[in-house]
Amino acid sequence: MIPIGLSTSCVFPQGVEAAFRIGHQAGYDGIEIMVSNDATTQNAAPLLALSDKYSLPILAIHAPVLLLTTNVWGRDAATKLEKSAELAAAVGAASVVVHPPFRWQTEYAANFERIVRETEKNSGIELCVENMFPWKIAGKSLKAYAPSPDPLDLDVDHMTLDFSHASLSGRDSLEFAMAMGDKLRNIHLCDGTKSADEGNIFDEHLAPGRGTQPVAETLQYLAEIGWSGQIVAEVVTHKMRDPKKKLALLIETVAFAREHLSQSHALRDPLPVGAGASRGDRRAAKRASRA
């Protein structure tokens, strides 16, 4: 069965425990950890404790490649990738998701493909290079990634397909998945409405089915061919103040995936928030219990 996970980014600004708690209740199969400035995302012991408490395995680690995580694990991008693979191995995750380098990371960009291959060989972890998108500023295109925002242009063995990024790039995700073939190992489940060339400036990360990408058709295709990778929800919820509505959106997302993968879906009884949870998490849980 194709596992369906929840990215910790889906519950931002809540903490990691909130992702495990909501993922458990909503009926997900596991968690993808977005490594961030939160120390919990950087260390195996607390992650394994949460995985055990909520009975959710850690499916993947998302390397700290965002501008907001510039200083996580130092400034060297290759070191960040190595530490991500080490963390994945320590928590039992199969994959690390990594973006292509930014254009201004000149040395890293020049050696990216070699670094990815060497890190995979040394760690035994699949490093899945994610498709990115063109940046437009004041209507002008900016080459933000090098050697390319498209993993199909790179000499790498494993890839991540993000539906929202494909939308912003003006790509058809079903065709993208077919072109990736056996190299496709990880999917970021979301949606988008239109491309940068059509005037879109936002990486939307909508719930699947709320945009224009062939998300359902892509999931159906993967189920038909017996694909053995992992699917991870990566939808934006941070503007939703009502925890009941946020939970409903994440349930909608996993239920959408189950439907088009021909899997059954069921909710789980919620588990109490532990003593180690943040004050914000405890308040959110209390509000959810009253909803």
Side-chain angles (χ1 to χ4, degrees), residues 56-130:
L56 287 178
I58 298 171
L59 302 177
I61 299 294
H62 195 305
V65 293
L66 305 178
L67 294 174
L68 294 174
T69 58
T70 298
N71 294 315
V72 173
W73 289 334
R75 305 275 298 192
D76 183 71
T79 299
K80 293 174 185 282
L81 201 51
E82 291 169 6
K83 287 187 173 293
S84 296
E86 291 171 3
L87 180 61
V91 299
S95 304
V96 166
V97 177
V98 60
H99 295 178
F102 289 115
R103 175 180 52 81
W104 50 87
Q105 295 174 300
T106 52
E107 183 176 352
Y108 179 50
N111 294 284
F112 178 67
E113 291 150 305
R114 176 184 60 78
I115 291 170
V116 166
R117 287 188 175 279
E118 290 181 355
T119 306
E120 282 193 326
K121 181 179 178 180
N122 294 336
S123 66
I125 299 296
E126 296 177 347
L127 268 63
C128 303
V129 182
E130 185 173 357

Side-chain angles (χ1 to χ4, degrees), residues 9-11 189-191 205-208 233-237 249-250 253:
S9 66
C10 289
V11 305
L189 180 63
C190 47
D191 209 337
H205 283 269
L206 304 174
E234 197 178 76
V235 299
V236 170
T237 69
L249 184 72
L250 295 176
T253 298

Side-chain angles (χ1 to χ4, degrees), residues 42-57:
Q42 305 168 24
N43 295 282
L47 292 176
L48 288 171
L50 289 170
S51 175
D52 181 67
K53 175 179 178 179
Y54 290 96
S55 300
L56 287 178

Side-chain angles (χ1 to χ4, degrees), residues 12-281:
F12 179 83
Q14 291 177 277
V16 180
E17 179 153 4
F20 276 93
R21 185 181 68 252
I22 292 170
H24 170 92
Q25 185 177 355
Y28 285 84
D29 299 317
I31 298 291
E32 179 176 293
I33 303 297
M34 173 76 78
V35 177
S36 69
N37 295 294
D38 180 350
T40 302
T41 68
Q42 305 168 24
N43 295 282
L47 292 176
L48 288 171
L50 289 170
S51 175
D52 181 67
K53 175 179 178 179
Y54 290 96
S55 300
L56 287 178
I58 298 171
L59 302 177
I61 299 294
H62 195 305
V65 293
L66 305 178
L67 294 174
L68 294 174
T69 58
T70 298
N71 294 315
V72 173
W73 289 334
R75 305 275 298 192
D76 183 71
T79 299
K80 293 174 185 282
L81 201 51
E82 291 169 6
K83 287 187 173 293
S84 296
E86 291 171 3
L87 180 61
V91 299
S95 304
V96 166
V97 177
V98 60
H99 295 178
F102 289 115
R103 175 180 52 81
W104 50 87
Q105 295 174 300
T106 52
E107 183 176 352
Y108 179 50
N111 294 284
F112 178 67
E113 291 150 305
R114 176 184 60 78
I115 291 170
V116 166
R117 287 188 175 279
E118 290 181 355
T119 306
E120 282 193 326
K121 181 179 178 180
N122 294 336
S123 66
I125 299 296
E126 296 177 347
L127 268 63
C128 303
V129 182
E130 185 173 357
N131 62 300
M132 297 307 290
F133 47 85
W135 287 15
K136 282 204 170 186
I137 299 177
K140 296 182 179 180
S141 295
L142 170 66
K143 184 180 179 182
Y145 301 97
S148 171
D150 185 347
L152 290 172
D153 294 335
L154 307 178
D155 183 19
V156 295
D157 289 333
H158 304 106
M159 301 177 183
T160 291
L161 170 61
D162 184 298
F163 289 100
S164 181
H165 297 175
S167 176
L168 199 52
S169 301
R171 299 288 296 272
D172 181 291
S173 292
L174 177 57
E175 294 179 358
F176 221 158
M178 290 178 172
M180 289 180 174
D182 293 339
K183 293 184 176 183
L184 177 59
R185 303 299 300 147
N186 176 283
I187 282 181
H188 281 168
L189 180 63
C190 47
D191 209 337
T193 58
K194 57 185 180 180
S195 71
D197 287 339
E198 295 170 313
N200 192 12
I201 60 172
F202 298 110
D203 182 16
E204 297 169 291
H205 283 269
L206 304 174
R210 296 194 179 192
T212 58
Q213 282 290 302
V215 184
E217 293 85 350
T218 303
L219 298 182
Q220 292 162 10
Y221 163 74
L222 293 173
E224 288 169 2
I225 65 172
W227 185 68
S228 60
Q230 53 192 210
I231 294 171
V232 176
E234 197 178 76
V235 299
V236 170
T237 69
H238 67 271
K239 293 182 179 179
M240 303 177 72
R241 301 303 180 190
D242 186 340
K244 186 176 181 180
K245 291 182 178 179
K246 178 178 290 191
L247 176 61
L249 184 72
L250 295 176
I251 291 172
E252 174 188 326
T253 298
V254 64
F256 180 99
R258 298 253 189 243
E259 175 185 354
H260 296 290
L261 293 172
S262 298
Q263 298 177 5
S264 59
H265 176 252
L267 303 180
R268 301 185 184 98
D269 292 333
L271 295 177
V273 178
S278 70
R279 184 179 301 173
D281 284 347

